[in-house]
Amino acid sequence: LENESAGWGGAVYLAGTSQATFERSLFRGNVAQITEGAGGGGAIYSDRGSEVETPLLSIVDSTFDANRTADKGWGGALHLSNVGAVISGSTFANNEAQICGGAIFVTLPNSAGDFQLTNSTLSANKTTDPTRGRGGGLCFEAGSQLTGNIASATITRKNAPVEAGGVFFSGAFQMRNTLLAGNSATGTNPDVAGSATSLGHNLIGDVGTAVVS
């Protein structure tokens, strides 16, 4: 899916109990034309609308390149709201959002299903808003009962104006076998902001004031 445009979810919009699997897919140059608000998802926007305990979105061996939100959006490639997701073997490059999550934005209430990112690469993504731009690669917000997981991933060459050029965490998060380095932020914490639990074998370039233990 290339060069598509829509309000929320430039190429794909998923709502309700919709389940979707994308395997060996290419999303390139799609745009979410969201104005000021909580939407976005240059390639995919998914909103369950209420709590669900199992992942509804699966992405395998896929590429997301040069997708973006046009105005005050969240999640340059993916905007996942109240949706559990499993992403593996995929590449996110050159995606752009204004507020949070240059590549991926995830917001999950309690019991909404976990988020997992494995064997994937996030490179050269960015957020651009000069006063609110965070999480150039990934922005994760979750309730206290949920856990996000990154394993065997590379997150590098991302930029955010305020903080967390790589990853911004707000909620329980675990990391294993992950490279998180070479990112930049005009403000603080170029690679990571927030707190995460290390399950071992991570390489973080600049921890800053984040807590990774």
Side-chain angles (χ1 to χ4, degrees):
L1 295 171
E2 298 186 58
N3 302 316
E4 301 289 340
S5 178
W8 291 12
V12 176
Y13 182 97
L14 300 170
T17 57
S18 300
Q19 296 186 355
T21 297
F22 298 95
E23 186 171 354
R24 299 177 185 171
S25 300
L26 171 64
F27 292 82
R28 175 178 289 152
N30 302 292
V31 182
Q33 300 284 355
I34 180 68
T35 56
E36 179 71 41
I44 299 174
Y45 179 92
S46 185
D47 188 348
R48 172 63 174 85
S50 61
E51 297 179 359
V52 61
E53 295 183 358
T54 58
L56 296 181
L57 181 63
S58 176
I59 297 172
V60 182
D61 297 337
S62 296
T63 298
F64 294 78
D65 178 49
N67 303 284
R68 63 185 178 88
T69 58
D71 181 31
K72 305 282 191 297
W74 306 60
L78 305 181
H79 183 120
L80 309 179
S81 180
N82 308 320
V83 176
V86 175
I87 302 169
S88 64
S90 296
T91 298
F92 295 79
N94 308 307
N95 301 288
E96 177 183 322
Q98 285 72 42
I99 309 301
C100 204
I104 303 171
F105 173 75
V106 182
T107 177
L108 298 170
N110 292 336
S111 302
D114 292 334
F115 171 79
Q116 299 179 31
L117 176 71
T118 61
N119 297 314
S120 296
T121 298
L122 280 65
S123 178
N125 305 286
K126 65 181 179 180
T127 54
T128 60
D129 189 281
T131 59
R132 295 188 290 170
R134 292 176 169 84
L138 168 66
C139 185
F140 177 83
E141 300 178 353
S144 59
Q145 298 178 24
L146 296 178
T147 301
N149 296 274
I150 297 178
S152 302
T154 298
I155 302 174
T156 189
R157 293 180 55 220
K158 284 160 289 296
N159 178 262
V162 177
E163 64 177 344
V167 178
F168 178 82
F169 302 122
S170 177
F173 213 93
Q174 297 177 344
M175 297 174 58
R176 176 171 54 87
N177 296 337
T178 291
L179 170 64
L180 179 54
N183 304 289
S184 62
T186 305
T188 60
N189 296 332
D191 287 312
V192 59
S195 61
T197 299
S198 173
L199 300 182
H201 307 289
N202 298 300
L203 176 59
I204 301 175
D206 188 343
V207 176
T209 60
V211 178
V212 180
S213 58

